[in-house]
Amino acid sequence: MVAAGAVFDSVQAASGAFATHPVIAGGALLGMAVAAAQGPGGEAVVPTLMAAGLLHPRARRRLPDDLPEPAPRRAQLAARLADAAYDVGTDGPGLTGFAAPPHPDAAIATILARIMGNWGAAEPEALSDAQVLDLVLLDRLLSASATQAGSLSTLFGNPEKVLELHARVEEIARKRDLFDRQSEALGAAQRVWARQQAGDRPTDPVAALARVDRPDADLYHHVVAGHDPDDPAQAEAAQWCALHPAADRATVALYLARTAEAGLPARAARSDDRDWLDGFSKILAQWRDGIYTRGELALDPPDAVLAAGPCLAAEIEAVAQTLGTSRLPQPCGLFVEYRGRVPRPRANWDLASGAMTAVPDPIDYYDRSVLSIA
């Protein structure tokens, strides 16, 4: 019998397109194939194909109830292995020397194929039913949420190692998700630019923002950070951005801090600007209800809004006093330090008119940290 620890200590790097990826490559990845184990007398034991296994022996007697039968399992594994070539090298960012980051499905498929290779099997048909079961359950764990992965890890001989690998796959997924969102934002900006170049210019900043047909948290932050609160058109555009559910939490905090500092809530109450006040109230409600789930961006400095609480509270009180209404609830956890990635530039968006002043440049849309070296 091969010790479970030995099974988890030999893969030094994944193959193919992921060999240079910082999350996949290197001995720290996870040893998940057959290694030489120590026999009772200390001699090296090279296990046979049938002897290799990742699961704890007891786990085979308490498998998940929803596992398919052995034949469908093998077909499921074959389908997963086909993901190894998933979109690698086909959707580059348009930046010389860089390529799209791995997709998590492709990363998982490559890991499984690497294990098979160390077991001496090129195709699922060469595996035993027990090995197919091991890989199907590993695939399930690597694809699961952190909570589900924790539960599934108890089936394996080395739970810590599989959870380490799950965390690495999650990091790959995080980077790919950011890359995909940045690609969508670039595509949306290119469509706006093409429309503008055809002579269809926006009539105002909000109309321009509404043309962007994919969420762009960096654009929303650019508008909020740079707008003139005393320009009604820019103030309306900033509120539009802060209302968007895809706005970063740092962006919303910055908007409310700048709005309070400029005295806009009290001013809107005095002029009975119900539309602006409705938007202001909705932003507070969306914060309270947890609508703003994205927390990636940093403020400069990180504590830029730390002292804004009393000013916002005073503005909320002024609105209630002026309108004779109940006081809007003060948001909790809003004015804190915001650390994260630096917002990507959107300097080609003119804040006053909403028009784009130059063609979108891919270098402004992608974080180099999420890209792979081509």
Side-chain angles (χ1 to χ4, degrees), residues 49 160 226 250 262 321 372:
L49 183 65
E160 294 79 10
Q321 291 291 335
S372 297

Side-chain angles (χ1 to χ4, degrees), residues 210-297:
R211 292 182 175 187
V212 182
D213 57 13
R214 294 293 185 275
D216 186 351
D218 293 276
L219 174 59
Y220 308 151
H221 195 84
H222 170 72
V223 173
V224 166
H227 81 284
D228 178 0
D230 293 322
D231 179 336
Q234 292 189 48
E236 183 181 5
Q239 187 178 84
W240 188 95
C241 291
L243 277 165
H244 201 292
D248 195 271
R249 291 169 65 87
T251 304
V252 178
L254 182 61
Y255 170 77
L256 290 172
R258 296 199 65 205
T259 293
E261 182 182 6
L264 295 191
R267 187 189 308 176
R270 289 193 299 270
S271 62
D272 201 26
D273 187 346
R274 297 289 176 158
D275 287 341
W276 191 94
L277 288 169
D278 285 346
F280 175 68
S281 175
K282 186 175 180 180
I283 291 169
L284 296 178
Q286 289 184 169
W287 183 276
R288 178 197 63 210
D289 295 340
I291 299 300
Y292 302 111
T293 59
R294 188 162 294 160
E296 299 172 357
L297 301 183

Side-chain angles (χ1 to χ4, degrees), residues 317-331:
E317 179 64 29
V319 170
Q321 291 291 335
T322 301
L323 299 180
T325 58
S326 56
R327 191 176 184 277
L328 293 170
Q330 178 82 359

Side-chain angles (χ1 to χ4, degrees), residues 2-9 31 157-158:
V2 179
V7 177
F8 289 95
D9 287 325
N158 196 324

Side-chain angles (χ1 to χ4, degrees), residues 53-114:
L54 307 179
L55 297 182
H56 193 285
R58 289 194 303 271
R60 300 184 189 279
R61 300 191 296 270
R62 52 182 179 89
L63 298 172
D65 294 334
D66 59 346
L67 272 179
E69 294 299 315
R73 281 180 213 160
R74 199 173 296 270
Q76 178 181 328
L77 177 60
R80 169 56 104 185
L81 291 170
D83 286 336
Y86 186 92
D87 71 14
V88 174
T90 64
D91 58 351
L95 294 175
T96 302
F98 293 92
H103 192 283
D105 287 344
I108 293 171
T110 302
I111 292 167
L112 299 179
R114 179 67 174 175

Side-chain angles (χ1 to χ4, degrees), residues 173-195:
R174 185 196 66 78
K175 289 188 174 184
R176 181 60 195 221
D177 176 66
L178 179 57
F179 170 83
D180 287 342
R181 285 190 277 115
Q182 291 176 339
S183 293
E184 291 178 354
L186 174 59
Q190 290 169 334
R191 289 188 289 275
V192 172
W193 174 254
R195 184 172 172 181

